[in-house]
Amino acid sequence: MPQSYDLYFASSNIHKFREAKKILEDFKINLGFFKCELEEIQSHSLLEITKGKALQAFKKCKNPIIVEDDGLSINSLNGFPGPYSSYVFKTIGNKGILKLLNQNRKAKFISIISFHDKKNLEFFESKVYGIISDKIKGKGWGYDPIFIPSESNKTFAQLKNKNELSHRFKALKNFSNWYLGK
Ligand code: ITT
């Protein structure tokens, strides 16, 4: 018998889904994976990119969905890679990022969750401030081995409780409060 979900997470990225599923379990929201490649419009605005992805995903999935767009924003690089985080990770990766930095290592991770169903199109944004480590620390996906949140001296990859303090957790918490009260 097919399992029924409260809503779907539309993404090509299984790591994002796994974390989102775990986080939403604590809010008693049962999240399914709708694996798909979503075209990203060219924009400097994560919000505009997320909105485009949510509209496409709802058309494809025909069920209530959330999509998430993230960006790592590095102060000394004027916010780069920002909306280009996925492309930059695939091209120069963490080693390439480390080579671009010197003293000022301040950065933030931004998540925008967008929820879309027949009635609503809603956005929930959150940020986590931190620094970029001086070398790769720990084994994790994406930028986890180089991002140290300010509450800690370990990278996301080294932390056991990333899901309790990440940009994704904070945005999903805001989403859940709205979703459960709607
Ligand atoms: P979608 O199909 O959902 O768009 P994506 O991988 O393209 O998947 P994003 O554009 O939202 O996702 O994210 C940009 C990149 O930022 C992503 O590919 C990762 O390399 C990185 N990233 C996002 N969240 C991360 C996290 O929690 N830890 C480490 N890296 C992360």
Side-chain angles (χ1 to χ4, degrees), residues 9-17 19 33 36-40 46 49-50 53 66-72 81-90 94 109-112 140-147 156-157 162-163 166-168:
F9 187 87
S11 173
S12 61
N13 189 325
I14 187 76
H15 305 288
K16 284 172 41 170
F17 167 68
E19 288 184 10
F33 191 28
C36 61
E37 290 289 338
L38 298 169
E39 272 174 42
E40 288 195 7
L46 280 185
I49 297 172
T50 318
K53 290 207 286 195
I66 52 178
V67 300
E68 182 193 14
D69 210 65
D70 301 298
L72 177 69
Y84 311 104
S85 294
S86 181
Y87 180 71
V88 169
F89 185 76
K90 284 181 199 142
N94 288 333
F109 238 134
I110 303 162
S111 165
I112 304 183
W141 64 279
Y143 298 109
D144 277 358
I146 61 166
F147 184 78
F156 268 169
K162 175 190 172 190
N163 280 341
S166 72
H167 51 310
R168 180 161 300 106

Side-chain angles (χ1 to χ4, degrees), residues 93-102 105 131-140 142-148 153-158:
N94 288 333
K95 282 189 183 155
I97 293 276
L98 292 180
K99 277 189 203 152
L100 297 175
L101 302 187
N102 39 40
R105 309 190 75 85
I131 55 166
I132 301 297
S133 57
D134 52 355
K135 56 181 185 219
I136 288 175
K137 291 181 182 166
K139 288 200 176 77
Y143 298 109
D144 277 358
I146 61 166
F147 184 78
I148 302 178
N153 52 12
K154 290 182 175 168
T155 64
F156 268 169
Q158 294 172 308

